[in-house]
Amino acid sequence: MATDSSAPRELDAVVVGAGFAGMYMLYKLRELGFAAVAFERGTGVGGTWYWNRYPGARCDAPSMQYSYQFSEALQQEWRWTEKYASQPEILAYANHVADRFGLREHIQFSTSVESAVFDEESERWRVTTDRGEAVSARFVVLGAGCLSSRNTPKFPGLEDFEGEWFHTSDWPHEGVDFRGKRVGIVGTGSTGIQAIPVIAESAEHLTVFQRTAQYSVPARNTPMDPAYEARIKADYRGFRERNYRKPMALDVELDPPEHRTFEVDAEERRRTYEAGWETGGIALFFAFQDAVTDREANEAVSQYLRDKIAEIVDDPETAKALMPKHIYACKRPCLDTHYFETYNRPNVTLVDCSEGGVESITAKGVRAAGAEHELDVLVFATGFDAMTGSILAIDIRGRGGRSLRDKWAAGPRSYLGLSSEGFPNLFMISGPGSPSVLTNMIPTIEQHVNWIGDCLVHLRETGHRTIEATLEAEDPWLIQVRAAADQTLWDACDNWYQGANIPGKPRVFMPYVDWPGYLAKCEEVVANGYEGFALR
Ligand code: N01
């Protein structure tokens, strides 16, 4: 779809977003015979991978698994060149999918959905966009992304900065030339940790402003091993089926941990950690059964990781400042390529601003830790208003004109992260209350899309006009999400899973921790005639 004038006015469904969720939803809807359009604010497909073009951007789920499985032909023909795919390769893959399945003509690019209002009489949604158009649709599916509403903190003085500044998730398509520049970067989460080593290679000088030190483990990315690729492709379908029900929908290529941390002696514990460090990726997470459920066990692995920093970083003061104090994996664990080693470069300085954060931005640079640091370029790797940001950016009004923003004022409320009571025929892909960000996202996106597709066919076949979560199902689900988080240490420090990174955001742990349990629950709901939903 190229222009406004060709947009259909009456549709079966509107999809918000053309990232991996929106693209597959659009494909599914059209396969099932529903007239659908996707609205996408970018000029191309790919969502996260369209926006996050910062240097070093790479997925840390293995490429043979972080990819669609709905088409055997697609997964056989596409060739990943590395164990963990880079952003340009993932974006090329997204574009390939869009072309291969003819999706592009049903996507309206450079268009943001501004509102979706449910009309109770016609039982249709009126969806409006920033291009001043309106469409009417029976169903709305939100695939706007869990990490796509960018967070640029309101740093005092930013408007005075005389250099250039960029947010990693709004990176110029033509790239940024750091040569000969004094660069500053704020943020040391997954994004900063990927970007810092690469920016350091070309910048004249890089100053890292660190508010919270982070744990990180080498990713140990490698070129794709052709023998491994051939082995997976010989039974890709079987590989996918086996992985689907694993924790996080991911084959971590490790034997399940046999022991709890303190069931083995100190020497064996050390050997196990070393093996995890050498394997890299998320191996340490799985070294023992209780790393993220037991505080003492967690402290043991945390201390091991701090010791590694001391081994790698030459300057003891810098090493000390880089050592995290919080619970390992409470903030999302990071994977890196030479992150800590980067602090041994003569052109890299760490500014520990754990006390006061970034105090202000000045015309010449950044004031932090009591000093002004002069810079030509400033990079914000400051994260996202996660999980709810891109949903609540849309003015969504359900039955009785009730606004979703009002309903979620104290935190998101949903049933299964798929639907919210009072908002009929409105579905979320990877919504708050679903496992989403705690999983290998593409396979779990596919599960949501398949569930929604089956549901729409069920409505069509049974002559129902609407479906929505009931309050009787939503309330206990909220409690279950909370209870699942309480079984882990994920909620034990400030992180974006609970909205702690956004001032004023309600503190609610949003993702559901147990993927296999969630999958079984979704299947059970359907087997019991969409239990917990009202069909009218
Ligand atoms: O964002 P973050 P991200 N002053 O929120 C700091 C996924 N992802 O973009 O911890 C100073 O994790 C903030 O400090 P603090 C992945 O799920 C995946 O890095 O709040 N500093 C923190 O250091 C990830 O978890 C991949 O004290 C400020 C940083 O900015 C998620 O995206 C790659 C500040 C933000 O870290 C988000 O990661 C990249 C302020 N006012 C991302 N405000 C892969 O798959 C914030 N910070 C590899």
Side-chain angles (χ1 to χ4, degrees):
M1 173 177 305
T3 64
D4 298 356
S5 59
S6 64
R9 313 312 295 173
E10 294 274 327
L11 293 159
D12 294 320
V14 161
V15 178
V16 181
F20 282 106
M23 280 203 295
Y24 180 45
M25 192 73 244
L26 187 61
Y27 167 82
K28 172 66 73 182
L29 286 163
R30 301 197 64 83
E31 283 288 297
L32 296 175
F34 293 101
V37 64
F39 291 117
E40 165 56 52
R41 78 186 153 100
T43 59
V45 297
T48 285
W49 303 102
Y50 170 91
W51 294 102
N52 288 270
R53 297 172 190 238
Y54 60 86
R58 182 179 292 286
C59 184
D60 53 18
S63 53
M64 294 295 286
Q65 298 187 62
Y66 186 83
S67 43
Y68 286 127
Q69 59 192 298
F70 70 85
S71 160
E72 176 65 8
L74 170 67
Q75 65 179 1
Q76 287 293 340
E77 77 201 8
W78 184 262
R79 301 206 61 184
W80 297 104
T81 64
E82 294 175 277
K83 179 175 179 183
Y84 298 108
S86 66
Q87 174 274 330
E89 190 160 277
I90 302 173
L91 187 59
Y93 171 73
N95 278 289
H96 171 74
V97 170
D99 293 334
R100 193 189 192 290
F101 297 101
L103 301 179
R104 231 176 265 285
E105 59 186 299
H106 308 294
I107 303 170
Q108 187 171 314
F109 293 103
S110 306
T111 306
S112 293
V113 169
E114 289 195 328
S115 72
V117 178
F118 187 67
D119 175 56
E120 287 185 71
E121 210 179 302
S122 64
E123 293 178 319
R124 295 182 72 85
W125 287 90
R126 182 183 155 84
V127 177
T128 62
T129 75
D130 61 348
R131 286 163 65 152
E133 69 211 295
V135 295
S136 161
R138 276 190 69 201
F139 304 101
V140 173
V141 188
L142 303 174
C146 297
L147 293 160
S148 41
S149 178
R150 83 180 56 96
N151 170 39
T152 309
K154 293 185 176 28
F155 296 107
L158 179 55
E159 60 288 354
D160 301 329
F161 183 56
E162 288 170 358
E164 287 185 295
W165 68 267
F166 306 95
H167 192 289
T168 46
S169 81
D170 190 16
W171 203 255
H173 291 198
E174 64 282 8
V176 179
D177 185 357
F178 293 112
R179 283 174 303 178
K181 303 269 172 62
R182 296 163 305 169
V183 182
I185 182 164
V186 181
T188 50
S190 298
T191 299
I193 280 177
Q194 287 188 327
I196 286 162
V198 184
I199 296 176
E201 281 170 16
S202 62
E204 182 186 299
H205 194 91
L206 177 65
T207 306
V208 179
F209 299 93
Q210 174 192 271
R211 188 167 69 178
T212 306
Q214 251 290 25
Y215 298 98
S216 189
V217 171
R220 308 224 187 270
N221 185 34
T222 55
M224 180 60 66
D225 171 3
Y228 171 79
E229 182 190 3
R231 204 164 61 243
I232 299 295
K233 286 190 172 176
D235 179 26
Y236 219 149
R237 211 184 286 276
F239 178 67
R240 297 291 205 171
E241 278 170 15
R242 288 189 295 280
N243 299 344
Y244 193 47
R245 287 179 191 278
K246 289 184 176 166
M248 302 191 291
L250 192 70
D251 176 26
V252 292
E253 298 168 357
L254 300 162
D255 294 330
E258 272 181 61
H259 299 289
R260 295 174 67 81
T261 304
F262 297 108
E263 282 172 2
V264 302
D265 62 25
E267 199 179 317
E268 189 177 340
R269 205 155 47 240
R270 171 98 198 156
R271 260 202 312 274
T272 307
Y273 288 149
E274 276 299 316
W277 178 268
E278 286 310 317
T279 303
I282 51 173
L284 271 167
F285 199 80
F286 290 94
F288 291 101
Q289 293 164 356
D290 50 359
V292 291
T293 53
D294 179 88
R295 274 186 188 257
E296 267 186 73
N298 192 280
E299 177 51 27
V301 65
S302 301
Q303 189 53 47
Y304 171 82
L305 289 167
R306 288 181 210 117
D307 292 346
K308 276 286 168 200
I309 296 169
E311 267 175 43
I312 297 169
V313 178
D314 296 339
D315 174 47
E317 279 306 305
T318 306
K320 195 164 163 230
L322 284 166
M323 288 179 193
K325 298 185 183 71
H326 57 272
I327 285 166
Y328 168 59
C330 168
K331 286 176 181 280
R332 198 244 202 204
C334 300
L335 305 188
D336 71 88
T337 301
H338 308 312
Y339 174 64
F340 293 113
E341 291 83 343
T342 297
Y343 292 94
N344 295 336
R345 295 178 67 107
N347 70 332
V348 175
T349 307
L350 178 71
V351 174
D352 176 2
C353 52
S354 49
E355 295 298 317
V358 165
E359 291 152 28
S360 63
I361 314 277
T362 65
K364 298 278 172 233
V366 165
R367 257 202 91 74
E372 185 181 28
H373 306 267
E374 291 199 2
L375 302 167
D376 305 308
V377 181
L378 190 45
V379 175
F380 295 118
T382 43
F384 303 90
D385 180 356
M387 302 201 72
T388 54
S390 58
I391 297 176
L392 295 179
I394 304 168
D395 184 10
I396 299 173
R397 288 166 193 270
R399 286 194 193 283
R402 186 177 180 202
S403 134
L404 191 67
R405 289 175 187 153
D406 288 346
K407 181 176 174 186
W408 286 10
R413 304 178 65 85
S414 81
Y415 182 41
L416 303 172
L418 276 164
S419 164
S420 193
E421 175 270 332
F423 297 82
N425 292 356
L426 178 89
F427 297 95
M428 296 173 285
I429 302 173
S430 311
S434 74
S436 58
V437 294
L438 298 177
T439 65
N440 177 18
M441 290 281 314
I442 297 186
T444 63
I445 279 170
E446 285 182 307
Q447 182 260 349
H448 261 194
V449 170
N450 292 339
W451 194 98
I452 295 166
D454 290 348
C455 174
L456 298 197
V457 170
H458 177 79
L459 296 182
R460 185 165 65 189
E461 287 175 352
T462 55
H464 287 101
R465 294 189 53 80
T466 64
I467 182 168
E468 70 188 273
T470 64
L471 213 49
E472 294 71 34
E474 193 169 280
D475 285 344
W477 184 251
L478 210 62
I479 294 166
Q480 192 163 333
V481 173
R482 176 74 254 161
D486 286 342
Q487 302 297 309
T488 72
L489 297 172
W490 267 312
D491 203 18
C493 72
D494 286 352
N495 58 43
W496 58 257
Y497 300 130
Q498 3 113 320
N501 61 328
I502 303 295
K505 187 167 174 171
R507 288 284 273 266
V508 174
F509 191 85
M510 295 178 283
Y512 183 59
V513 171
D514 172 16
W515 162 253
Y518 177 83
L519 192 52
K521 170 77 178 173
C522 289
E523 288 165 350
E524 186 189 303
V525 162
V526 175
N528 293 338
Y530 289 90
E531 189 174 30
F533 288 90
L535 281 72
R536 298 194 173 92

